[in-house]
Amino acid sequence: MSTGKTLLALALSALLPASAAWSANNDTLIYCSEASPESFNPQIASSGPSFVASSQVLYNRLINFDPVKNTPIPSLATEWKISPDGLTYTFTLRQGVKFNSNKFFKPTRDFNADDVVFSVLRQKDASHPYHNVSQGSYEYFHDVGLDSLIKEVKKIDDYHVQFVLNEPNAAFLADWGMDFASILSAEYADAMLKKGTPENVDNWPIGTGPYALQQYKVDSLIRYIANPNYWDGEVPTKHLIFSITPNVQTRLAKLQTNECQIIPAPSPVQFEEINKNKDLTLHKVDALNVGYLAFNTEKKPFDNVLVRQALNYATDKQAIIKAVFLDSGTVAKSPIPPNMLGFDKNLKDYTYDPKKAKALLKQAGLEKGFEATLWSMPVQRPYNPNSRRIAEMIQSDWAKVGVKAKIVSYEWGEYLSGMRKGEHDTALFGWMSDNGDPDNFAGTLLGCGSIKSGSNAARWCNKEYDGLVKKALLASDPAKRAALYGQAQEIYYQQAPWIALANGKTFYATRSNVTGYSVSLMGSDFSKTKIN
């Protein structure tokens, strides 16, 4: 644990006594979270648990997504206009939106255009006074290319903001519903800068969301209190507690004993047990995601396409789906999920063929095999409900063709950090859609520009692939975009930077008396949740 993280936890825990009651009642909702957040500022976070704990509880964004159609709908922006050339976006902002407050600061004004401009420029402008606060790594902002795409962002008046782009971009509007696009308070930031404590903006967040942060005890709990002036209606549950519970079995046990009322990502092997319990309800949501094993193509022998193809043939994906996912997932073959624009249903996939794998390894000069590390995620995800079991099955498959894989794992924050730096040989990972656009997969996960930020875990840069994906972003015609993504997927298949493993459904479980909680493309929504 870093010193900064420790100090943050101690500072936050001082707000309320550690002995404060945990009783579950109509005013208190307890959610068993999978991990501690990396940060309470979603601009500088990158993991699901961090976003649930920050952007999805404390903040809002300019747009939201329709939970059924996955299309942009109003949030902090009530409407938007796009110029005919696709280069200028003008947002009309919602009036009367109140920010939360904390012990350091009480806002004197409502949300306005200054907050939008601040939230953008902090990430875009390297000379901005907040750019390097909290180490200033804005992975998502850079991954979707907003640093180079946005030519200018300006305040027209208090309730109108205009973006001017360097080129048209088909995903631009959807980007403003992503977690990193959460709107922070410029007034709070100015006040903390004057006090010499700018890091408070990230450690003690102030947003416009349904809840405000009260207390954080690292790897233990997070306490929130409802925003009494929430613009989107009364928040029915006054107290929200995150009980940080990494172990999937422990989460279910806590749900069964009513120590928490909601759990994310139950294991498929737990579904029957949940369904048999009249006090519990299992929920299923169709998702846009992909789970995969990334080869670090900057390391030998994974810089050799023959080796990557061989290990694709050596991996029995059907067996993994059957043993681990049960009814919760299907075999993946593309970085783009099925039912998303651009997915090529006719794309070929690697069959399970150990003989062909051995022949390719021989062709690569590795007839006797080799040794490598296989990183296994310490958390469960819809695209990977049991990473250790999947790693063991891959380890067993590869051993049959002479490849010895050593399974290693780390604490989630360390896992993410090491993978971004390219410390892995191979690593299990995955992605859940942030904005419903195919570039969020094809570009963010495999684009050349995503190597530096770390979301390209394969560290694979193919100029032809990259060019097709970039061209697709410039196209406004969906059919043209789909054709370009189809060509890109064919290159992906031939070059095999991953083993695409699975597309999973999203599951969560609740106590049966919980209503109003929802999970969608935007993640978790606690703002209408009730305990009846």
Side-chain angles (χ1 to χ4, degrees):
M1 185 191 304
S2 68
T3 302
K5 190 175 182 180
T6 305
L7 292 174
L8 167 60
L10 290 172
L12 287 167
S13 65
L15 185 58
L16 287 180
S19 59
W22 272 57
S23 60
N25 53 56
N26 291 352
D27 284 335
T28 303
L29 176 70
I30 303 174
Y31 171 85
C32 276
S33 175
E34 300 162 274
S36 293
E38 303 160 89
S39 170
F40 284 105
N41 180 353
Q43 297 175 331
I44 55 179
S46 62
S47 69
S50 298
F51 292 144
V52 176
S54 61
S55 55
Q56 295 164 28
V57 176
L58 302 169
Y59 296 101
N60 300 116
R61 288 145 291 285
L62 291 179
I63 67 162
N64 207 330
F65 291 101
D66 182 288
V68 177
K69 299 177 181 178
N70 289 332
T71 52
I73 57 175
S75 183
L76 290 181
T78 57
E79 62 180 4
W80 46 86
K81 295 179 180 178
I82 307 172
S83 63
D85 62 5
L87 294 177
T88 304
Y89 287 68
T90 304
F91 291 89
T92 300
L93 305 183
R94 189 177 300 277
Q95 299 187 33
V97 175
K98 308 292 183 184
F99 277 98
N100 281 299
S101 60
N102 63 24
K103 69 175 185 178
F104 296 111
F105 182 75
K106 185 174 182 179
T108 65
R109 63 163 176 81
D110 292 349
F111 155 76
N112 68 26
D114 292 326
D115 305 306
V116 179
V117 173
F118 166 77
S119 300
V120 176
L121 290 183
R122 171 176 177 171
Q123 299 178 83
K124 176 177 169 55
D125 184 1
S127 64
H128 192 278
Y130 266 86
H131 187 76
N132 294 317
V133 172
S134 302
Q135 301 179 346
S137 177
Y138 306 100
E139 178 181 322
Y140 272 79
F141 190 85
H142 292 286
D143 283 349
V144 298
L146 293 180
D147 50 337
S148 57
L149 178 64
I150 298 172
K151 182 178 182 179
E152 182 183 20
V153 56
K154 57 185 177 183
K155 171 184 177 180
I156 297 175
D157 58 41
D158 276 354
Y159 294 102
H160 290 89
V161 171
Q162 190 171 85
F163 290 84
V164 180
L165 310 185
N166 285 309
E167 61 185 13
N169 185 290
F172 181 75
L173 181 60
D175 288 341
W176 294 103
M178 293 172 65
D179 294 277
F180 77 87
S182 296
I183 303 302
L184 281 61
S185 167
E187 186 188 23
Y188 179 37
D190 288 343
M192 293 303 99
L193 195 63
K194 290 175 182 175
K195 287 186 177 181
T197 56
E199 64 280 356
N200 283 347
V201 170
D202 302 330
N203 296 345
W204 288 89
I206 285 180
T208 60
Y211 286 91
L213 181 67
Q214 278 195 306
Q215 178 190 22
Y216 174 43
K217 297 179 73 174
V218 69
D219 295 335
S220 177
L221 68 90
I222 312 170
R223 289 179 181 271
Y224 305 90
I225 191 164
N227 178 353
N229 302 304
Y230 189 44
W231 63 268
D232 197 25
E234 181 182 358
V235 180
T237 306
K238 184 176 181 180
H239 300 284
L240 174 63
I241 297 173
F242 277 31
S243 173
I244 299 169
T245 313
N247 184 275
V248 66
Q249 298 293 344
T250 306
R251 285 202 297 275
L252 178 55
K254 286 185 175 182
L255 185 70
Q256 290 168 326
T257 57
N258 202 26
E259 290 178 69
C260 59
Q261 290 76 55
I262 304 172
I263 63 170
S267 170
V269 298
Q270 298 174 329
F271 291 174
E272 183 178 359
E273 185 177 358
I274 294 170
N275 285 324
K276 285 181 177 179
N277 190 326
K278 64 179 177 59
D279 294 323
L280 308 181
T281 303
L282 181 67
H283 305 262
K284 178 174 70 175
V285 180
D286 287 333
L288 296 172
N289 63 44
V290 62
Y292 58 89
L293 181 135
F295 300 114
N296 187 340
T297 61
E298 291 181 346
K299 287 187 175 182
K300 290 184 179 299
F302 304 107
D303 58 340
N304 188 331
V305 66
L306 296 175
V307 173
R308 303 196 299 266
Q309 291 174 344
L311 293 181
N312 266 275
Y313 282 119
T315 304
D316 190 348
K317 299 197 292 187
Q318 292 284 358
I320 290 172
I321 295 297
K322 184 177 181 180
V324 179
F325 285 81
L326 305 179
D327 295 324
S328 71
T330 56
V331 170
K333 62 179 179 179
S334 166
I336 297 176
N339 303 321
M340 176 175 265
L341 173 71
F343 174 74
D344 183 0
K345 65 180 180 180
N346 297 316
L347 184 70
K348 290 182 288 186
D349 196 10
Y350 291 88
T351 56
Y352 178 52
D353 193 335
K355 287 185 179 180
K356 190 172 284 189
K358 287 182 179 179
L360 286 168
L361 287 173
K362 183 177 181 179
Q363 191 178 340
L366 293 167
E367 186 175 7
K368 295 182 179 180
F370 59 91
E371 297 182 3
T373 57
L374 196 170
W375 286 29
S376 172
M377 297 163 53
V379 296
Q380 295 78 37
R381 290 289 182 271
Y383 54 73
N384 190 328
N386 189 332
S387 185
R388 182 74 190 188
R389 179 68 178 127
I390 291 176
E392 289 170 349
M393 293 184 73
I394 293 173
Q395 180 188 52
S396 176
D397 285 343
W398 289 4
K400 295 170 186 174
V401 298
V403 176
K404 296 180 180 179
K406 179 184 178 183
I407 299 172
V408 296
S409 191
Y410 304 94
E411 180 272 329
W412 186 224
E414 190 178 353
Y415 190 96
L416 293 170
S417 175
M419 199 174 59
R420 290 188 200 111
K421 295 174 185 175
E423 295 173 357
H424 59 292
D425 292 337
T426 68
L428 288 167
F429 202 52
W431 199 256
M432 301 183 69
S433 177
D434 296 300
N435 62 10
D437 191 272
D439 184 70
N440 189 231
F441 289 84
T444 301
L445 302 183
L446 289 167
C448 294
S450 298
I451 295 175
K452 184 176 180 181
S453 62
S455 64
N456 184 341
R459 307 184 74 81
W460 176 71
C461 178
N462 180 283
K463 298 298 184 183
E464 186 180 0
Y465 173 94
D466 201 57
L468 287 165
V469 170
K470 287 179 177 177
K471 194 174 180 180
L473 262 183
L474 297 175
S476 58
D477 177 19
K480 186 176 180 181
R481 292 191 80 197
L484 291 165
Y485 286 123
Q487 294 176 52
Q489 285 165 88
E490 182 61 33
I491 295 170
Y492 159 84
Y493 167 75
Q494 296 292 344
Q495 291 294 311
W498 293 354
I499 299 174
L501 292 170
N503 302 115
K505 295 183 182 295
T506 295
F507 289 84
Y508 63 96
T510 66
R511 299 288 299 181
S512 297
N513 61 343
V514 172
T515 60
Y517 174 74
S518 64
V519 174
S520 67
L521 182 64
M522 281 304 299
S524 298
D525 185 358
F526 298 89
S527 67
K528 303 291 188 290
T529 308
K530 294 181 181 179
I531 301 177
N532 300 303

